[in-house]
Amino acid sequence: MSSSAETAASRPLRVAIIGAGPAGVYAADILSKSSEVKDGHLEVSIDLFEAYPAPYGLIRYGVAPDHPRIKGIVNALHKVLDRGDIRFFGNVTYGRDLTLHDFRSFYDAVIFSTGAIKDAELDIPGIELEGSYGGADFVSWYDGHPDVSREWPLEAKEIAVIGNGNVALDVARMLSKHADDLLVTEIPDNVYQGLKNSPVTDVHVFGRRGPAQVKFTPLELRELSHSNDVDIVLYPEDFEFDEASDEAIRSNNQIKTMVNTLTNWLVEEHAESEQPSSRRLHLHFLHSPVEVLSEDGSGKVSGIKFERMQLDGTGNAKGTGEFIEYPVQAVYRAIGYHGSALDELEYDARRGVIPNDGGRVLGADGKPVPGIYTTGWIKRGPVGLIGHTKGDALETIGFLLEDRLSLPPAETPDPQAIVDLLEERGIEYTTWEGWNRLDAHEAALGAQWTAENPDRGITRERVKVVPREDMIRISRG
Ligand code: NAP
Protein backbone atom coordinates (compact mmCIF):
# COMPACT_ATOMS: atom_id res chain seq x y z
CA MET A 1 0.00 0.00 0.00
CA SER A 2 1.37 3.44 -0.90
CA SER A 3 1.62 6.20 1.68
CA SER A 4 -1.10 8.85 1.53
CA ALA A 5 1.37 11.62 0.64
CA GLU A 6 2.57 9.57 -2.33
CA THR A 7 -1.02 8.83 -3.28
CA ALA A 8 -1.99 12.44 -3.76
CA ALA A 9 1.12 13.06 -5.82
CA SER A 10 1.35 9.88 -7.88
CA ARG A 11 -2.21 9.26 -9.07
CA PRO A 12 -5.54 11.05 -9.21
CA LEU A 13 -7.39 11.42 -5.93
CA ARG A 14 -10.28 8.95 -6.04
CA VAL A 15 -13.52 10.36 -4.62
CA ALA A 16 -16.94 8.67 -4.40
CA ILE A 17 -20.03 10.80 -3.93
CA ILE A 18 -23.13 8.95 -2.76
CA GLY A 19 -26.36 10.66 -3.84
CA ALA A 20 -26.76 12.33 -7.24
CA GLY A 21 -29.22 15.04 -6.23
CA PRO A 22 -28.24 18.70 -6.42
CA ALA A 23 -26.00 18.36 -3.31
CA GLY A 24 -23.96 15.52 -4.85
CA VAL A 25 -23.69 17.12 -8.29
CA TYR A 26 -22.67 20.50 -6.82
CA ALA A 27 -20.02 18.78 -4.69
CA ALA A 28 -18.68 16.92 -7.75
CA ASP A 29 -18.65 20.12 -9.81
CA ILE A 30 -16.96 22.20 -7.10
CA LEU A 31 -14.34 19.53 -6.47
CA SER A 32 -13.56 19.12 -10.16
CA LYS A 33 -13.24 22.90 -10.59
CA SER A 34 -11.35 23.67 -7.36
CA SER A 35 -8.26 25.83 -7.72
CA GLU A 36 -6.02 22.91 -6.72
CA VAL A 37 -7.42 20.94 -9.62
CA LYS A 38 -7.47 23.83 -12.09
CA ASP A 39 -3.87 24.82 -11.30
CA GLY A 40 -2.77 21.26 -11.94
CA HIS A 41 -1.60 20.54 -8.34
CA LEU A 42 -4.13 17.80 -8.06
CA GLU A 43 -5.88 15.39 -10.36
CA VAL A 44 -9.23 14.03 -9.20
CA SER A 45 -11.32 11.16 -10.41
CA ILE A 46 -14.93 11.33 -9.23
CA ASP A 47 -17.62 8.64 -9.27
CA LEU A 48 -21.17 9.67 -8.44
CA PHE A 49 -23.51 6.95 -7.10
CA GLU A 50 -27.29 7.09 -6.95
CA ALA A 51 -29.86 4.68 -5.52
CA TYR A 52 -32.40 5.52 -8.25
CA PRO A 53 -31.78 4.58 -11.86
CA ALA A 54 -31.94 8.31 -12.80
CA PRO A 55 -29.94 11.26 -11.46
CA TYR A 56 -31.09 14.60 -9.93
CA GLY A 57 -32.64 13.32 -6.64
CA LEU A 58 -34.92 15.94 -5.15
CA ILE A 59 -35.33 17.79 -8.44
CA ARG A 60 -36.79 14.74 -10.13
CA TYR A 61 -38.57 13.35 -7.05
CA GLY A 62 -39.22 16.33 -4.78
CA VAL A 63 -39.97 19.42 -6.84
CA ALA A 64 -43.62 19.73 -7.86
CA PRO A 65 -44.25 19.05 -11.57
CA ASP A 66 -45.83 22.48 -12.09
CA HIS A 67 -42.59 24.20 -11.04
CA PRO A 68 -40.75 24.22 -14.37
CA ARG A 69 -38.46 27.05 -13.22
CA ILE A 70 -37.05 24.89 -10.40
CA LYS A 71 -37.12 21.72 -12.51
CA GLY A 72 -35.00 23.78 -14.94
CA ILE A 73 -32.07 23.48 -12.51
CA VAL A 74 -31.73 20.06 -14.11
CA ASN A 75 -30.25 21.80 -17.18
CA ALA A 76 -27.34 23.12 -15.11
CA LEU A 77 -26.79 19.74 -13.43
CA HIS A 78 -26.99 18.00 -16.81
CA LYS A 79 -24.19 20.22 -18.14
CA VAL A 80 -21.95 19.21 -15.23
CA LEU A 81 -22.49 15.49 -15.73
CA ASP A 82 -22.36 15.74 -19.51
CA ARG A 83 -18.78 17.08 -19.44
CA GLY A 84 -17.60 13.50 -19.10
CA ASP A 85 -15.15 13.96 -16.22
CA ILE A 86 -17.58 12.60 -13.57
CA ARG A 87 -18.80 9.01 -13.87
CA PHE A 88 -22.42 8.24 -12.94
CA PHE A 89 -23.54 4.90 -11.46
CA GLY A 90 -27.32 4.76 -10.94
CA ASN A 91 -29.43 2.04 -9.30
CA VAL A 92 -26.68 1.33 -6.74
CA THR A 93 -27.82 1.41 -3.12
CA TYR A 94 -25.34 2.20 -0.37
CA GLY A 95 -25.39 -0.40 2.40
CA ARG A 96 -27.02 -3.03 0.19
CA ASP A 97 -25.12 -3.17 -3.11
CA LEU A 98 -21.92 -1.59 -1.82
CA THR A 99 -20.73 -1.29 1.79
CA LEU A 100 -18.60 1.35 3.44
CA HIS A 101 -15.76 -1.14 3.31
CA ASP A 102 -16.17 -1.41 -0.47
CA PHE A 103 -16.08 2.36 -0.87
CA ARG A 104 -13.04 2.64 1.38
CA SER A 105 -11.21 0.04 -0.74
CA PHE A 106 -11.79 1.89 -4.00
CA TYR A 107 -11.71 5.54 -2.94
CA ASP A 108 -9.53 7.89 -0.89
CA ALA A 109 -12.58 9.90 0.17
CA VAL A 110 -16.33 9.32 0.29
CA ILE A 111 -18.93 12.11 0.41
CA PHE A 112 -22.47 11.32 1.53
CA SER A 113 -25.15 13.53 -0.06
CA THR A 114 -28.16 11.28 0.43
CA GLY A 115 -30.58 14.10 1.34
CA ALA A 116 -33.80 13.66 3.30
CA ILE A 117 -36.88 12.04 1.83
CA LYS A 118 -38.98 10.93 4.81
CA ASP A 119 -41.66 12.94 6.58
CA ALA A 120 -40.93 14.35 10.02
CA GLU A 121 -43.15 12.66 12.61
CA LEU A 122 -46.14 14.45 14.11
CA ASP A 123 -46.91 12.94 17.47
CA ILE A 124 -50.64 13.53 17.96
CA PRO A 125 -53.46 11.02 18.57
CA GLY A 126 -55.06 9.69 15.39
CA ILE A 127 -52.09 10.45 13.13
CA GLU A 128 -51.98 6.75 12.20
CA LEU A 129 -55.62 6.67 11.00
CA GLU A 130 -56.51 5.66 7.46
CA GLY A 131 -56.59 8.88 5.46
CA SER A 132 -53.68 10.50 7.35
CA TYR A 133 -50.61 10.85 5.13
CA GLY A 134 -47.10 12.23 5.05
CA GLY A 135 -46.74 15.11 2.60
CA ALA A 136 -43.37 13.75 1.45
CA ASP A 137 -45.01 10.43 0.54
CA PHE A 138 -47.61 12.25 -1.53
CA VAL A 139 -44.84 14.26 -3.23
CA SER A 140 -43.11 10.97 -4.09
CA TRP A 141 -46.35 9.68 -5.60
CA TYR A 142 -47.11 12.70 -7.77
CA ASP A 143 -43.46 12.90 -8.86
CA GLY A 144 -43.55 9.26 -10.03
CA HIS A 145 -41.04 7.88 -7.53
CA PRO A 146 -40.17 4.32 -8.59
CA ASP A 147 -40.54 2.79 -5.13
CA VAL A 148 -43.99 4.04 -4.10
CA SER A 149 -47.36 2.59 -5.01
CA ARG A 150 -48.85 3.71 -8.33
CA GLU A 151 -52.18 4.25 -6.56
CA TRP A 152 -52.97 7.10 -4.19
CA PRO A 153 -56.35 7.21 -2.39
CA LEU A 154 -57.84 10.55 -3.49
CA GLU A 155 -61.35 10.11 -2.11
CA ALA A 156 -61.68 13.09 0.25
CA LYS A 157 -63.79 16.15 -0.51
CA GLU A 158 -62.31 18.12 2.37
CA ILE A 159 -58.62 17.88 3.18
CA ALA A 160 -56.36 19.35 5.88
CA VAL A 161 -52.70 20.12 5.17
CA ILE A 162 -50.64 20.82 8.30
CA GLY A 163 -47.63 23.13 8.03
CA ASN A 164 -46.75 26.53 6.62
CA GLY A 165 -43.67 25.70 4.54
CA ASN A 166 -43.25 25.39 0.78
CA VAL A 167 -43.97 21.65 0.86
CA ALA A 168 -47.38 22.38 2.42
CA LEU A 169 -48.01 24.83 -0.45
CA ASP A 170 -46.92 22.23 -3.04
CA VAL A 171 -49.13 19.55 -1.51
CA ALA A 172 -52.14 21.89 -1.18
CA ARG A 173 -51.71 23.23 -4.72
CA MET A 174 -51.38 19.75 -6.22
CA LEU A 175 -54.42 18.54 -4.27
CA SER A 176 -56.58 21.48 -5.30
CA LYS A 177 -55.52 22.00 -8.93
CA HIS A 178 -57.60 20.51 -11.71
CA ALA A 179 -55.74 17.57 -13.27
CA ASP A 180 -56.13 18.92 -16.81
CA ASP A 181 -54.15 22.00 -15.80
CA LEU A 182 -51.23 19.67 -14.98
CA LEU A 183 -51.14 18.03 -18.39
CA VAL A 184 -48.51 20.49 -19.61
CA THR A 185 -46.17 19.04 -16.98
CA GLU A 186 -44.26 15.75 -16.90
CA ILE A 187 -46.76 14.00 -14.57
CA PRO A 188 -47.04 10.29 -15.23
CA ASP A 189 -50.37 8.92 -16.49
CA ASN A 190 -51.29 7.24 -13.20
CA VAL A 191 -50.92 10.60 -11.41
CA TYR A 192 -53.06 12.40 -13.98
CA GLN A 193 -55.78 9.73 -13.70
CA GLY A 194 -55.66 9.77 -9.89
CA LEU A 195 -55.98 13.55 -9.69
CA LYS A 196 -58.63 13.62 -12.42
CA ASN A 197 -60.91 11.39 -10.32
CA SER A 198 -60.42 13.38 -7.10
CA PRO A 199 -63.72 14.68 -5.69
CA VAL A 200 -61.94 17.40 -3.64
CA THR A 201 -63.71 20.71 -3.09
CA ASP A 202 -61.85 22.24 -0.11
CA VAL A 203 -58.19 22.08 0.91
CA HIS A 204 -57.38 23.74 4.25
CA VAL A 205 -53.76 24.66 5.06
CA PHE A 206 -53.04 25.18 8.76
CA GLY A 207 -50.10 27.08 10.25
CA ARG A 208 -49.49 27.03 13.99
CA ARG A 209 -48.17 30.60 14.05
CA GLY A 210 -49.24 33.86 12.35
CA PRO A 211 -49.06 35.27 8.82
CA ALA A 212 -45.69 36.92 9.58
CA GLN A 213 -44.21 33.59 10.71
CA VAL A 214 -44.86 31.56 7.58
CA LYS A 215 -41.94 29.60 6.11
CA PHE A 216 -43.19 30.01 2.54
CA THR A 217 -41.27 32.01 -0.05
CA PRO A 218 -43.02 34.91 -1.84
CA LEU A 219 -43.03 33.45 -5.35
CA GLU A 220 -44.42 30.13 -4.19
CA LEU A 221 -47.13 31.85 -2.13
CA ARG A 222 -48.21 34.17 -4.95
CA GLU A 223 -48.38 31.21 -7.31
CA LEU A 224 -51.33 29.81 -5.32
CA SER A 225 -53.60 32.42 -6.86
CA HIS A 226 -52.72 31.25 -10.38
CA SER A 227 -54.63 27.97 -10.13
CA ASN A 228 -57.59 27.92 -12.45
CA ASP A 229 -61.05 27.61 -10.80
CA VAL A 230 -59.63 27.57 -7.25
CA ASP A 231 -60.53 30.38 -4.82
CA ILE A 232 -58.23 31.35 -1.98
CA VAL A 233 -60.04 31.83 1.31
CA LEU A 234 -58.61 33.64 4.34
CA TYR A 235 -60.01 34.45 7.78
CA PRO A 236 -59.69 37.93 9.38
CA GLU A 237 -59.45 36.46 12.89
CA ASP A 238 -56.18 34.73 11.88
CA PHE A 239 -54.46 38.01 11.06
CA GLU A 240 -52.62 38.64 14.32
CA PHE A 241 -49.29 40.47 14.52
CA ASP A 242 -47.16 40.87 17.64
CA GLU A 243 -44.06 43.05 18.16
CA ALA A 244 -41.82 40.39 16.66
CA SER A 245 -44.11 40.21 13.62
CA ASP A 246 -43.91 43.99 13.12
CA GLU A 247 -40.14 43.82 13.39
CA ALA A 248 -40.00 40.91 10.90
CA ILE A 249 -42.19 42.86 8.45
CA ARG A 250 -39.92 45.91 8.82
CA SER A 251 -36.62 44.09 8.50
CA ASN A 252 -37.32 41.19 6.17
CA ASN A 253 -38.47 41.96 2.63
CA GLN A 254 -39.68 38.42 2.01
CA ILE A 255 -41.93 38.50 5.07
CA LYS A 256 -43.17 41.96 4.15
CA THR A 257 -44.06 40.80 0.62
CA MET A 258 -45.84 37.71 1.88
CA VAL A 259 -47.83 39.56 4.55
CA ASN A 260 -48.85 42.08 1.86
CA THR A 261 -49.91 39.29 -0.48
CA LEU A 262 -51.99 37.61 2.23
CA THR A 263 -53.55 40.87 3.38
CA ASN A 264 -54.42 41.85 -0.20
CA TRP A 265 -56.07 38.49 -0.76
CA LEU A 266 -58.10 38.95 2.42
CA VAL A 267 -59.29 42.38 1.31
CA GLU A 268 -60.01 41.29 -2.29
CA GLU A 269 -61.91 38.24 -1.08
CA HIS A 270 -64.29 40.37 0.93
CA ALA A 271 -64.82 42.83 -1.93
CA GLU A 272 -65.35 40.05 -4.44
CA SER A 273 -68.55 39.47 -6.36
CA GLU A 274 -67.22 37.16 -9.10
CA GLN A 275 -68.55 33.72 -9.87
CA PRO A 276 -67.30 31.36 -7.12
CA SER A 277 -64.87 28.61 -8.16
CA SER A 278 -65.63 24.92 -7.82
CA ARG A 279 -62.66 24.40 -5.45
CA ARG A 280 -61.31 26.38 -2.54
CA LEU A 281 -57.91 26.59 -0.90
CA HIS A 282 -58.21 27.94 2.66
CA LEU A 283 -55.22 29.39 4.51
CA HIS A 284 -55.60 29.30 8.30
CA PHE A 285 -53.12 30.63 10.84
CA LEU A 286 -52.70 30.21 14.60
CA HIS A 287 -53.99 26.62 14.54
CA SER A 288 -51.92 23.98 16.33
CA PRO A 289 -52.93 20.37 15.56
CA VAL A 290 -54.17 18.41 18.58
CA GLU A 291 -55.84 15.27 17.26
CA VAL A 292 -56.88 13.60 14.02
CA LEU A 293 -60.45 12.42 14.57
CA SER A 294 -62.34 9.31 13.59
CA GLU A 295 -65.90 9.83 14.64
CA ASP A 296 -67.54 6.53 13.89
CA GLY A 297 -64.76 4.21 15.04
CA SER A 298 -64.19 3.14 11.42
CA GLY A 299 -60.50 3.88 11.73
CA LYS A 300 -60.85 6.46 8.94
CA VAL A 301 -60.19 10.17 9.26
CA SER A 302 -63.40 12.16 9.74
CA GLY A 303 -62.04 15.42 11.12
CA ILE A 304 -59.19 17.27 12.77
CA LYS A 305 -59.01 19.19 16.03
CA PHE A 306 -56.82 22.25 16.61
CA GLU A 307 -56.06 24.51 19.53
CA ARG A 308 -56.35 28.19 18.64
CA MET A 309 -53.04 29.90 19.28
CA GLN A 310 -51.97 33.45 20.04
CA LEU A 311 -48.64 35.13 19.47
CA ASP A 312 -46.58 35.70 22.59
CA GLY A 313 -44.68 38.83 21.51
CA THR A 314 -41.60 36.95 20.32
CA GLY A 315 -43.15 35.51 17.17
CA ASN A 316 -43.82 32.20 18.91
CA ALA A 317 -47.34 31.03 19.63
CA LYS A 318 -49.01 29.78 22.82
CA GLY A 319 -52.28 27.94 23.30
CA THR A 320 -55.47 29.86 24.11
CA GLY A 321 -57.31 26.86 25.56
CA GLU A 322 -59.89 27.25 22.80
CA PHE A 323 -60.35 24.26 20.49
CA ILE A 324 -61.86 24.02 17.05
CA GLU A 325 -62.70 21.05 14.82
CA TYR A 326 -62.95 20.79 11.04
CA PRO A 327 -64.67 17.99 9.16
CA VAL A 328 -62.07 16.53 6.76
CA GLN A 329 -61.64 13.07 5.27
CA ALA A 330 -57.89 13.28 4.76
CA VAL A 331 -54.97 14.87 6.59
CA TYR A 332 -51.54 15.55 5.10
CA ARG A 333 -48.73 16.59 7.42
CA ALA A 334 -46.11 18.76 5.70
CA ILE A 335 -44.10 19.74 8.74
CA GLY A 336 -40.64 19.07 7.33
CA TYR A 337 -38.51 16.27 5.99
CA HIS A 338 -36.26 13.97 8.01
CA GLY A 339 -32.99 12.38 6.87
CA SER A 340 -32.49 8.61 7.26
CA ALA A 341 -29.69 6.73 9.04
CA LEU A 342 -26.93 5.24 6.87
CA ASP A 343 -25.22 1.92 7.53
CA GLU A 344 -21.98 2.13 9.50
CA LEU A 345 -22.24 5.88 10.11
CA GLU A 346 -23.29 7.70 13.26
CA TYR A 347 -26.76 9.25 13.09
CA ASP A 348 -28.40 12.12 14.94
CA ALA A 349 -31.94 10.74 15.15
CA ARG A 350 -33.41 13.97 16.53
CA ARG A 351 -32.20 16.13 13.64
CA GLY A 352 -32.11 13.35 11.03
CA VAL A 353 -28.53 14.17 10.00
CA ILE A 354 -25.09 12.54 9.97
CA PRO A 355 -23.14 14.19 12.82
CA ASN A 356 -20.44 16.32 11.21
CA ASP A 357 -18.21 19.30 11.66
CA GLY A 358 -18.54 21.50 8.58
CA GLY A 359 -18.95 18.36 6.47
CA ARG A 360 -16.28 16.20 8.11
CA VAL A 361 -18.26 13.19 9.35
CA LEU A 362 -17.83 12.50 13.07
CA GLY A 363 -17.46 9.08 14.67
CA ALA A 364 -18.94 7.84 17.95
CA ASP A 365 -16.00 9.49 19.75
CA GLY A 366 -16.96 12.88 18.29
CA LYS A 367 -13.79 12.99 16.18
CA PRO A 368 -13.68 13.25 12.36
CA VAL A 369 -13.64 9.88 10.59
CA PRO A 370 -10.73 10.15 8.11
CA GLY A 371 -11.84 10.26 4.49
CA ILE A 372 -15.61 10.48 5.15
CA TYR A 373 -17.57 13.67 4.39
CA THR A 374 -21.13 14.83 3.96
CA THR A 375 -23.02 17.63 2.23
CA GLY A 376 -26.59 18.80 1.56
CA TRP A 377 -29.68 18.04 3.65
CA ILE A 378 -28.17 14.95 5.30
CA LYS A 379 -25.40 17.29 6.55
CA ARG A 380 -27.36 20.33 7.69
CA GLY A 381 -30.97 19.16 7.90
CA PRO A 382 -33.85 19.69 5.46
CA VAL A 383 -33.88 23.48 5.29
CA GLY A 384 -33.10 25.99 2.59
CA LEU A 385 -33.63 26.21 -1.13
CA ILE A 386 -31.69 24.15 -3.66
CA GLY A 387 -29.14 26.91 -4.30
CA HIS A 388 -28.16 26.97 -0.60
CA THR A 389 -26.70 23.52 -1.07
CA LYS A 390 -23.84 25.03 -3.10
CA GLY A 391 -22.48 26.80 -0.01
CA ASP A 392 -22.60 23.52 1.85
CA ALA A 393 -20.67 21.75 -0.89
CA LEU A 394 -18.04 24.50 -0.97
CA GLU A 395 -17.42 24.08 2.75
CA THR A 396 -17.22 20.28 2.57
CA ILE A 397 -14.92 20.27 -0.46
CA GLY A 398 -12.73 22.89 1.23
CA PHE A 399 -12.16 20.53 4.17
CA LEU A 400 -11.64 17.52 1.92
CA LEU A 401 -8.91 19.38 0.03
CA GLU A 402 -7.37 20.59 3.28
CA ASP A 403 -7.21 16.95 4.45
CA ARG A 404 -6.04 15.50 1.16
CA LEU A 405 -2.54 14.57 2.28
CA SER A 406 -3.81 12.63 5.27
CA LEU A 407 -6.64 10.71 3.63
CA PRO A 408 -6.51 6.92 4.09
CA PRO A 409 -5.48 5.82 0.58
CA ALA A 410 -7.65 3.46 -1.46
CA GLU A 411 -6.28 -0.08 -1.66
CA THR A 412 -7.61 -0.48 -5.22
CA PRO A 413 -7.67 2.93 -6.88
CA ASP A 414 -7.97 1.59 -10.44
CA PRO A 415 -11.25 3.13 -11.78
CA GLN A 416 -12.11 -0.11 -13.57
CA ALA A 417 -12.13 -2.07 -10.29
CA ILE A 418 -15.49 -0.68 -9.10
CA VAL A 419 -17.07 -1.50 -12.47
CA ASP A 420 -15.75 -5.06 -12.21
CA LEU A 421 -17.16 -5.41 -8.70
CA LEU A 422 -20.61 -4.14 -9.73
CA GLU A 423 -20.61 -6.59 -12.65
CA GLU A 424 -19.39 -9.43 -10.45
CA ARG A 425 -22.21 -8.79 -7.97
CA GLY A 426 -24.77 -8.68 -10.78
CA ILE A 427 -25.87 -5.14 -9.93
CA GLU A 428 -27.86 -3.63 -12.78
CA TYR A 429 -26.23 -0.24 -12.56
CA THR A 430 -27.16 2.53 -14.95
CA THR A 431 -24.75 5.01 -16.53
CA TRP A 432 -24.79 8.57 -17.88
CA GLU A 433 -25.30 7.22 -21.39
CA GLY A 434 -28.17 5.16 -19.96
CA TRP A 435 -29.74 8.27 -18.43
CA ASN A 436 -29.51 10.02 -21.80
CA ARG A 437 -31.42 7.08 -23.31
CA LEU A 438 -34.14 7.27 -20.62
CA ASP A 439 -34.26 11.06 -20.92
CA ALA A 440 -34.79 10.78 -24.69
CA HIS A 441 -37.41 8.06 -24.15
CA GLU A 442 -39.40 10.26 -21.75
CA ALA A 443 -39.20 13.18 -24.20
CA ALA A 444 -40.44 10.85 -26.97
CA LEU A 445 -43.40 9.82 -24.79
CA GLY A 446 -44.23 13.53 -24.41
CA ALA A 447 -44.01 14.08 -28.17
CA GLN A 448 -46.15 11.00 -28.81
CA TRP A 449 -48.86 12.24 -26.43
CA THR A 450 -48.81 15.66 -28.10
CA ALA A 451 -49.15 14.12 -31.57
CA GLU A 452 -51.97 11.79 -30.47
CA ASN A 453 -53.96 14.58 -28.80
CA PRO A 454 -53.89 17.47 -31.30
CA ASP A 455 -57.31 18.70 -30.13
CA ARG A 456 -55.94 19.41 -26.62
CA GLY A 457 -53.60 22.15 -27.87
CA ILE A 458 -51.02 21.08 -25.26
CA THR A 459 -47.35 20.36 -25.88
CA ARG A 460 -45.98 17.82 -23.43
CA GLU A 461 -42.20 17.96 -23.26
CA ARG A 462 -41.89 14.78 -21.23
CA VAL A 463 -43.88 12.00 -19.63
CA LYS A 464 -42.04 10.33 -16.78
CA VAL A 465 -41.34 6.59 -16.71
CA VAL A 466 -42.24 5.36 -13.22
CA PRO A 467 -41.55 1.62 -12.62
CA ARG A 468 -37.96 0.99 -11.58
CA GLU A 469 -37.66 -2.07 -13.81
CA ASP A 470 -38.76 -0.03 -16.86
CA MET A 471 -36.30 2.75 -16.02
CA ILE A 472 -33.49 0.18 -15.76
CA ARG A 473 -34.50 -1.65 -18.92
CA ILE A 474 -34.66 1.54 -21.00
CA SER A 475 -31.42 2.91 -19.49
CA ARG A 476 -29.50 -0.29 -20.06
CA GLY A 477 -30.72 -0.47 -23.63
P1 NAP B 1 -40.23 24.04 6.47
O1 NAP B 1 -39.98 25.16 5.53
O2 NAP B 1 -39.28 23.84 7.58
O3 NAP B 1 -41.71 24.24 7.05
C1 NAP B 1 -42.23 23.38 8.02
C2 NAP B 1 -43.55 23.94 8.53
O4 NAP B 1 -44.12 22.96 9.41
C3 NAP B 1 -43.41 25.23 9.34
O5 NAP B 1 -44.49 26.08 9.05
C4 NAP B 1 -43.48 24.72 10.79
O6 NAP B 1 -44.00 25.67 11.70
C5 NAP B 1 -44.48 23.59 10.63
N1 NAP B 1 -44.41 22.64 11.73
C6 NAP B 1 -43.32 21.97 12.19
N2 NAP B 1 -43.66 21.17 13.22
C7 NAP B 1 -45.00 21.35 13.40
C8 NAP B 1 -45.93 20.80 14.31
N3 NAP B 1 -45.57 19.91 15.24
N4 NAP B 1 -47.22 21.22 14.24
C9 NAP B 1 -47.60 22.12 13.29
N5 NAP B 1 -46.76 22.67 12.40
C10 NAP B 1 -45.47 22.28 12.46
O7 NAP B 1 -40.27 22.63 5.72
P2 NAP B 1 -40.75 22.17 4.27
O8 NAP B 1 -42.01 22.83 3.86
O9 NAP B 1 -40.69 20.68 4.34
O10 NAP B 1 -39.60 22.66 3.29
C11 NAP B 1 -38.25 22.23 3.43
C12 NAP B 1 -37.32 23.12 2.60
O11 NAP B 1 -37.54 22.87 1.20
C13 NAP B 1 -37.58 24.59 2.82
O12 NAP B 1 -36.39 25.29 2.82
C14 NAP B 1 -38.42 24.96 1.63
O13 NAP B 1 -38.38 26.33 1.27
C15 NAP B 1 -37.82 24.09 0.54
N6 NAP B 1 -38.81 23.86 -0.54
C16 NAP B 1 -38.88 24.78 -1.54
C17 NAP B 1 -39.83 24.64 -2.53
C18 NAP B 1 -39.99 25.64 -3.62
O14 NAP B 1 -40.89 25.54 -4.40
N7 NAP B 1 -39.16 26.64 -3.71
C19 NAP B 1 -40.72 23.57 -2.49
C20 NAP B 1 -40.63 22.65 -1.46
C21 NAP B 1 -39.66 22.82 -0.47
P3 NAP B 1 -43.02 26.56 12.61
O15 NAP B 1 -42.41 27.57 11.69
O16 NAP B 1 -43.91 27.12 13.61
O17 NAP B 1 -41.98 25.62 13.18
Side-chain angles (χ1 to χ4, degrees), residues 58 62-64 67 69-70 119-124 139 142 162-170 173 206-210 213-217 219-220 223 287-289 306 315-317 334-337 377 380-386 388:
L58 177 91
V63 172
H67 272 174
R69 185 180 55 86
I70 307 178
D119 282 288
E121 297 288 328
L122 179 62
D123 191 14
I124 57 170
V139 171
Y142 67 58
I162 303 171
N164 263 184
N166 280 330
V167 173
L169 288 188
D170 281 350
R173 203 181 59 253
F206 295 95
R208 61 179 168 183
R209 297 192 284 155
Q213 283 77 37
V214 294
K215 296 264 181 72
F216 312 140
T217 39
L219 213 62
E220 280 65 31
E223 188 191 356
H287 281 68
S288 182
F306 291 92
N316 284 320
I335 60 162
Y337 281 89
W377 275 7
R380 70 168 200 278
V383 283
L385 303 179
I386 291 165
H388 296 156

Side-chain angles (χ1 to χ4, degrees), residues 39-246:
D39 298 347
H41 304 315
L42 182 68
E43 261 191 275
V44 289
S45 147
I46 304 169
D47 289 345
L48 181 59
F49 292 85
E50 170 57 55
Y52 307 136
Y56 309 139
L58 177 91
I59 302 191
R60 188 173 161 96
Y61 293 124
V63 172
D66 58 345
H67 272 174
R69 185 180 55 86
I70 307 178
K71 291 262 182 208
I73 298 174
V74 157
N75 297 334
L77 304 186
H78 178 96
K79 272 191 195 149
V80 173
L81 298 183
D82 209 38
R83 288 196 310 248
D85 56 336
I86 297 159
R87 285 196 304 185
F88 172 74
F89 293 98
N91 199 34
V92 179
T93 300
Y94 170 78
R96 189 193 65 195
D97 299 327
L98 294 175
T99 63
L100 187 61
H101 177 264
D102 296 327
F103 279 103
R104 281 209 174 277
S105 319
F106 296 111
Y107 300 93
D108 306 305
V110 186
I111 304 174
F112 287 88
S113 49
T114 47
I117 55 163
K118 293 221 168 97
D119 282 288
E121 297 288 328
L122 179 62
D123 191 14
I124 57 170
I127 199 73
E128 72 298 337
L129 288 170
E130 192 183 328
S132 162
Y133 309 106
D137 290 340
F138 181 57
V139 171
S140 291
W141 175 74
Y142 67 58
D143 263 339
H145 191 294
D147 301 335
V148 305
S149 164
R150 298 296 103 83
E151 308 294 324
W152 190 272
L154 286 161
E155 289 144 11
K157 281 186 155 185
E158 294 144 308
I159 301 175
V161 177
I162 303 171
N164 263 184
N166 280 330
V167 173
L169 288 188
D170 281 350
V171 165
R173 203 181 59 253
M174 287 295 291
L175 284 167
S176 56
K177 246 185 178 173
H178 290 276
D180 282 338
D181 294 331
L182 288 161
L183 268 180
V184 282
T185 74
E186 62 187 30
I187 52 165
D189 286 342
N190 64 304
V191 174
Y192 170 72
Q193 288 305 337
L195 292 171
K196 178 97 185 142
N197 296 330
S198 167
V200 69
T201 57
D202 293 84
V203 177
H204 298 261
V205 180
F206 295 95
R208 61 179 168 183
R209 297 192 284 155
Q213 283 77 37
V214 294
K215 296 264 181 72
F216 312 140
T217 39
L219 213 62
E220 280 65 31
L221 177 64
R222 268 204 306 269
E223 188 191 356
L224 278 193
S225 65
H226 302 163
S227 293
N228 171 41
D229 189 33
V230 181
D231 283 342
I232 296 180
V233 186
L234 292 135
Y235 298 85
E237 63 273 24
D238 290 348
F239 279 66
E240 186 180 305
F241 300 95
D242 63 354
E243 285 156 42
S245 307
D246 294 339

Side-chain angles (χ1 to χ4, degrees), residues 27-48:
D29 189 34
I30 289 169
L31 177 58
S32 63
K33 286 181 179 157
S34 69
S35 54
E36 278 87 343
V37 175
K38 272 201 316 223
D39 298 347
H41 304 315
L42 182 68
E43 261 191 275
V44 289
S45 147
I46 304 169
D47 289 345
L48 181 59

